[in-house]
């Protein structure tokens, strides 16, 4: 009878250990498919995931944002002209409207540049700003008001290209109207054509 009681007790203890008590030494190890993740295990897994770079997200990157109509510069970008194979020369900025402001100036003498008759000049801007339209005029040196200026070229958008004026020394004005109503600007060069 004592043997039957011991046997019954061992069956009850074995049943309890499988129903949630501590596992018996003879129980097989649990497989990964037998276990359910708990909220604590899931939170721990999330906390240990690698963290991405703390830099700005691509959507916030200055290069990823679309251009705005309001320029960040205080004045229009610097303009340069050059002939093929020549060094670019930055023009003098004259009258302009830009960023709710502007400046007035008479016809300027201009930055000096040399060219050969028939060479083609190309204009570039220091900052990538779209151009709606442009025109190029010339006068003899010393003009302060541009009266009698002769047209050299005109166009819209890029590229801005024009041929050197005839032999002699000329004060050349390039007028640029920027796209998206950003404003306009006059740039000047003194071109010595030999």
């Amino acid at each position: 009878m004592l043997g039957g009681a011991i046997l019954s007790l061992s069956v009850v203890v074995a049943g309890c250990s499988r129903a949630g008590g501590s596992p018996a030494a003879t129980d097989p190890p649990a497989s990964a498919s037998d276990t359910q993740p708990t909220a604590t295990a899931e939170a721990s897994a999330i906390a240990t995931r690698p963290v991405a770079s703390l830099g700005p997200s691509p959507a916030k990157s200055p290069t990823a944002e679309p251009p705005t109509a309001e320029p960040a510069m205080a004045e229009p970008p610097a303009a340069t002209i050059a002939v093929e194979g020549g060094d670019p020369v930055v023009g003098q900025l004259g009258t302009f409207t830009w960023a709710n402001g502007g400046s007035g100036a008479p016809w300027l003498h201009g930055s000096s540049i040399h060219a050969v008759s028939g060479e083609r000049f190309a204009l570039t801007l220091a900052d990538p700003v779209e151009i709606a339209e442009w025109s190029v005029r010339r006068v003899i040196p010393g003009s302060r008001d541009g009266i009698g200026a002769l047209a050299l070229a005109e166009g819209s958008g890029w590229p801005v290209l024009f041929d050197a004026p005839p032999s002699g020394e000329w004060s050349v004005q390039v007028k640029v109207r920027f796209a998206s109503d950003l404003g306009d600007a006059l740039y000047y060069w003194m071109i010595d054509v030999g």
Side-chain angles (χ1 to χ4, degrees), residues 19 21 24 28 34 41 45 58 61 87 89 92 104 112-113 116 119 139 144-145 167 170 184:
D34 292 341
S61 168
D87 292 330
V89 175
Q92 283 185 299
S112 294
I113 187 169
V116 174
E119 283 188 303
V139 296
R144 301 296 286 165
D145 55 15
S167 293
W170 304 98
D184 53 50

Side-chain angles (χ1 to χ4, degrees), residues 8 15 31 37 42 46 59 64 70 100 113-115 125-126 129 139 150-151 154 156 173 182 193:
S8 295
S31 70
E42 192 172 317
I46 291 171
E70 188 64 31
N100 299 319
I113 187 169
H114 299 283
L125 296 175
V129 178
V139 296
L150 299 173
E154 61 184 25
S156 59
Q173 175 196 76
L182 290 176
V193 183

